[in-house]
Amino acid sequence: MSMESLMVSGVVIGAVVLVGLLLLAVVVVGAVLMFRGKKVDPAVQRAEALAGLGFTPLKAGTWIKPIQGSKMTFEDRPDGFRWQMQLPRYNTMTLELVESGSPEPVTGQFETEIAAIDARFRVGSPQAARVVTLLGQPKLQRALLATPNIAMSLSADELIILDPGRAGLKQLNPGTPLDAELALHTLTMNVVNSLFAVLYTEDGTVMEAFR
């Protein structure tokens, strides 16, 4: 093969290699741009995840969901998470429950004589006997003890559950921060469902012991 032929072959091969490298660069750049294009906005991802639990946005930082024949409002507030709902039936029992290390005062504080409850919480109510009966139910006890940093108040037809300072959220570590939030919502709804199972009969009236 002549020198001229070798030079032509070298040029052709070089051109082919250059084209190949350019195509590779295009593919890589395209893949990077596609990845960036598919990057999900955290706010959108959170909204979709909350929708999966039945929450719909009400206003900025506030969602609402149907539960137990009523509606639960969830607020993401500067001082922590807050869940609030109206109970379907009025009851005359008042209850306050906070973590033992909480600085929040509790009105009518007393010892429930339930070891697991007294070891972790401070409880207050003017109807101590009824509250002890309520908190003595294993289903509700398990739900409360499984939920980190919970504060709960029950009065007439309103139930409020708090995660002050989002400390409970920080204690959960199932993966991402969003995973932790979803886990906390699930635990909170379990408390609500357990409370309803104890507080109401199958036809929705308040149990005789708690009227």
Side-chain angles (χ1 to χ4, degrees):
M1 183 179 292
S2 65
M3 182 63 69
E4 184 177 352
S5 297
L6 288 173
M7 290 179 64
V8 171
S9 298
V11 171
V12 171
I13 293 171
V16 171
V17 171
L18 180 59
V19 170
L21 290 173
L22 288 173
L23 288 173
L24 179 61
V26 169
V27 170
V28 171
V29 171
V32 170
L33 291 176
M34 184 179 296
F35 175 77
R36 288 181 177 176
K38 288 184 176 180
K39 191 173 182 180
V40 179
D41 183 331
V44 173
Q45 190 176 27
R46 184 189 190 195
E48 291 176 348
L50 288 175
L53 291 179
F55 286 98
T56 55
L58 190 62
K59 59 183 179 179
T62 304
W63 290 260
I64 193 166
K65 87 173 252 87
I67 184 170
Q68 292 288 352
S70 184
K71 291 182 179 179
M72 170 187 283
T73 301
F74 163 61
E75 295 179 84
D76 185 351
R77 297 150 52 118
D79 59 350
F81 287 170
R82 182 181 189 271
W83 297 263
Q84 180 272 340
M85 67 179 295
Q86 297 298 122
L87 301 179
R89 296 288 186 276
Y90 182 88
N91 79 93
T92 59
M93 185 168 53
T94 299
L95 162 66
E96 291 180 70
L97 178 146
V98 299
E99 299 283 348
S100 59
S102 170
E104 294 298 318
V106 171
T107 304
Q109 184 174 333
F110 65 94
E111 295 290 317
T112 67
E113 304 300 330
I114 303 170
I117 295 295
D118 290 337
R120 179 171 162 189
F121 302 112
R122 288 187 290 119
V123 178
S125 173
Q127 299 97 11
R130 279 186 281 175
V131 167
V132 169
T133 301
L134 181 73
L135 297 179
Q137 304 301 310
K139 185 180 182 69
L140 181 57
Q141 270 191 53
R142 288 193 297 268
L144 288 169
L145 294 170
T147 307
N149 195 52
I150 187 173
M152 184 175 77
S153 66
L154 173 66
S155 178
D157 63 347
E158 183 179 55
L159 172 67
I160 297 175
I161 297 175
L162 304 172
D163 175 18
R166 297 182 185 78
L169 182 68
K170 295 168 187 174
Q171 290 176 34
L172 291 170
N173 188 27
T176 67
L178 181 56
D179 291 333
E181 181 181 344
L182 297 179
L184 188 58
H185 283 297
T186 301
L187 290 169
T188 301
M189 286 186 282
N190 187 39
V191 170
V192 172
N193 290 329
S194 299
L195 179 64
F196 270 70
V198 172
L199 198 56
Y200 296 103
T201 62
E202 290 185 3
D203 64 2
T205 59
V206 179
M207 291 277 197
E208 183 67 33
F210 307 120
R211 292 179 187 171

